[in-house]
Amino acid sequence: MRESAKAHRRKETALGYFFLGPQLVGLLVFMLGPLVFALVLGFSNWDGFGTMTFAGLKNFATVFTDPQLVTSSRNTVWFAVLSVPGQLLSGFIVAWMLQKVVRGKSFYRTFYFAPVVTSSVAVAVIWLWLLNPDISPLNTTLKKMGLPAPDWLQDARFTIPAFAVVAIWQGIGYQVVMFSAGLENVPKSLLEAADIDGANEWQKMRKITVPLLSPTILFLSITGIIGSFQIFDLVFVLMGTNAPSASRTIVYEIYQKAFVEFNFGVACAIAIVLFLALLALTGLQLAAQKRWVHYTE
Amino acid sequence: MTTISTLGANAVETVAHEKDVRTRRPFKWTQIPLHLILAVGAVGMALPFAWMVFSSFKPLGEIFLQPPKLLPIQWAPENYTNALAGANFGRAFFNSIYISLTVVVVSLFTCAMAAYGFARIRFPGNNLLFTIFLATLMVPGQLTVIPLYIIMSKIGWVDTHLALIVPPALFSAFGVFLLRQYVRGIPIELEEAAAIDGAGRIRSFFTIILPLLRTPMVALGIFTFLAQWNNFFYALIFLNTEDNFTIPLLVNQFKGQYSSDWTGLMAAATLAAAPLLIVFIIAQRQIVEGIALSGSKT
């Protein structure tokens, strides 16, 4: 009897690994292996051809001292500061209004969501043209209204804000869907009870809706920051292979260092620092959640 | 058979947040301002697309008209024939379609297998491996892409479609996680009944689990398709020759070659965006549910 139980357990283990098989191979070959390799590369000098030599912390020193890399990091942070709150706020407002309307929800949702499914290259091409000062209807309208109409992609002060506008436009639909899902879960009974107590819309929003949505807000701000720190497609398509200093972002630098200059060591060092920064930011957000995130269950 | 599919539907509904509740309440006048604001926003969202589509039908001179006009005065459909002739769009479409579809089919199958293994089979290492899968969701692609490129070039996969197909087909932590949650929602009694009838693990995976996973697999499949179709970063890194290009790469290259040919560029961007917008309009519900699922706390 005990022997057969053992045999059964062995068979179950074999079956378990059989079912995991393909994904386990993928995990090892395309994730864990490259991860270890990246750590090794970050501490070495290598261009992909010659011999690999140990570099110590040299690559990491470059990440923090190279003036262009410092500027690119600042650009990326500035982009996140502009785009993440912009997306969250606009997404929340639209989702809140959509919840209020009785009819036409999915009609509006189609419009707000369309840019989410559109290839970022196509999006960038559209905006390449909308941000061109000579032919853009946007700039013509601004001029007509007596407002300054800047050269968005060439004027260093406006490039990152222009990226943020495009990112908000492209990302708002995703935020709307996530906030709508969250709003569905706000119990109607709570809002009705508040109505009876004479609460106005603003009070209901502050005291009921926003606290109950706080897990959604936390999730979206964590994923939003992670996403915004990885911005690349937009920069690359809008600015090309020789982007001016003021428009470069961290992942653009990773691409340049690795696949244009073939300096794999520095490229991996940048990627490792990016990863650690994201881990730290996510950790901070998770640590701070006790102060403001409320879970109903 | 009917009981099984109802049970599956219930399991699905517990996870799906997005539900259209169709209430037939009378129209309220107080809603007009809301509709106005939402409609202005919707126009703002649609206008860049509209400019793109209409400009792609303008002769080049009209692009520079001041003040600009949305509709073409003179229609120029030849922008499309020129764009199609100048760059190999047919080829790129084919590449994009078969790469995306292959990834979807293989990835769905391997994810469902792993999901079943994690959710149902007890073996040493189950929990540890699942934790590792989840942890990899935190790793940014930029960190692994450099070693991946070196590995691919060592085995000769650079500038082949295998580099774009095999990694996402064999590894998707998100897909495994999502499907595992669904498998856990399927009542274990179904499999026990099948086991009494003599069905083994493999048989019950094919006859019970896979059919019940249809709904989340459709959502995950559309999700995966969109991600692969729009994949620019990896395609840019792994592909060099134009014959191998996918749609996003081709549009980007088109931009470089014809930077002053705005009408051709708009035609190219329209060709790149249109198939996805059509897929989106058809499969809207699944896409929205799939997105909402990605953030559901579990």
Side-chain angles (χ1 to χ4, degrees), chain B residues 253-266:
Chain B
Q253 178 180 289
F254 196 81
K255 187 210 85 197
Q257 282 178 350
Y258 308 87
S259 50
S260 58
D261 176 13
W262 288 101
T263 54
L265 193 53
M266 289 300 133

Side-chain angles (χ1 to χ4, degrees), chain A:
Chain A
M1 196 61 204
R2 286 226 351 242
E3 274 311 299
S4 87
K6 223 185 233 168
H8 177 73
R9 215 160 47 214
R10 255 208 309 276
K11 198 177 153 213
E12 282 286 280
T13 304
L15 274 168
Y17 282 96
F18 166 76
F19 275 104
L20 296 193
Q23 286 281 324
L24 219 48
V25 170
L27 175 77
L28 285 173
V29 179
F30 303 123
M31 178 53 79
L32 297 184
L35 205 56
V36 174
F37 196 179
L39 291 178
V40 174
L41 279 173
F43 290 95
S44 45
N45 302 305
W46 202 42
D47 60 0
F49 295 104
T51 45
M52 205 191 278
T53 55
F54 182 65
L57 290 172
K58 196 191 81 197
N59 295 331
F60 292 91
T62 309
V63 175
F64 290 102
T65 50
D66 182 289
Q68 179 56 53
L69 291 180
V70 172
T71 307
S72 301
S73 309
R74 220 176 29 224
N75 291 342
T76 309
V77 172
W78 180 220
F79 172 75
V81 166
L82 290 174
S83 67
V84 177
Q87 282 186 351
L88 281 170
L89 201 65
S90 54
F92 174 75
I93 292 171
V94 173
W96 185 79
M97 289 197 294
L98 274 184
Q99 232 233 343
K100 291 265 162 202
V101 301
V102 179
R103 299 213 193 128
K105 261 182 221 185
S106 62
F107 172 77
Y108 290 124
R109 200 172 56 197
T110 310
F111 283 94
Y112 287 96
F113 202 76
V116 180
V117 296
T118 309
S119 147
S120 49
V121 173
V123 166
V125 167
I126 304 175
W127 285 89
L128 185 67
W129 178 58
L130 285 174
L131 295 171
N132 182 309
D134 298 326
I135 52 179
S136 167
L138 194 74
N139 280 28
T140 314
T141 317
L142 286 174
K143 268 184 224 151
K144 225 189 262 169
M145 290 161 70
L147 294 167
D151 187 344
W152 304 96
L153 298 180
Q154 298 308 319
D155 188 330
R157 290 167 302 163
F158 288 102
T159 314
I160 296 291
F163 290 164
V165 168
V166 181
I168 291 170
W169 179 81
Q170 197 188 6
I172 184 172
Y174 173 76
Q175 315 278 326
V176 169
V177 167
M178 300 300 294
F179 274 122
S180 299
L183 283 168
E184 297 274 323
N185 292 338
V186 174
K188 292 263 185 311
S189 54
L190 274 180
L191 295 171
E192 280 160 12
D195 271 334
I196 293 169
D197 291 341
N200 60 29
E201 282 297 325
W202 176 245
Q203 287 168 322
K204 281 192 284 183
M205 174 96 83
R206 269 203 49 198
K207 301 283 182 196
I208 298 170
T209 311
V210 170
L212 284 175
L213 275 183
S214 53
T216 308
I217 299 171
L218 177 73
F219 174 81
L220 287 176
S221 53
I222 289 177
T223 50
I225 289 176
I226 292 175
S228 67
F229 268 59
Q230 299 182 16
I231 177 186
F232 171 79
D233 296 10
L234 203 57
V235 187
F236 190 82
V237 180
L238 286 178
M239 311 307 296
T241 43
N242 203 5
S245 168
S247 63
R248 293 177 165 218
T249 61
I250 296 179
V251 177
Y252 189 92
E253 297 293 354
I254 295 177
Y255 176 81
Q256 287 288 322
K257 288 278 181 268
F259 302 107
V260 178
E261 296 171 24
F262 291 97
N263 191 342
F264 290 130
V266 170
C268 279
I270 304 173
I272 291 167
V273 172
L274 170 67
F275 180 39
L276 293 178
L278 288 176
L279 273 186
L281 275 173
T282 307
L284 273 178
Q285 283 173 286
L286 288 174
Q289 68 167 331
K290 286 191 203 84
R291 290 166 176 276
W292 65 277
V293 178
H294 305 266
Y295 291 101
T296 36
E297 289 101 324

Side-chain angles (χ1 to χ4, degrees), chain B residues 25-44:
Chain B
R25 274 185 281 173
F27 187 81
K28 282 195 225 144
W29 291 101
T30 50
Q31 295 216 317
I32 287 179
L34 271 180
H35 279 286
L36 269 179
I37 301 170
L38 282 169
V40 168
V43 169

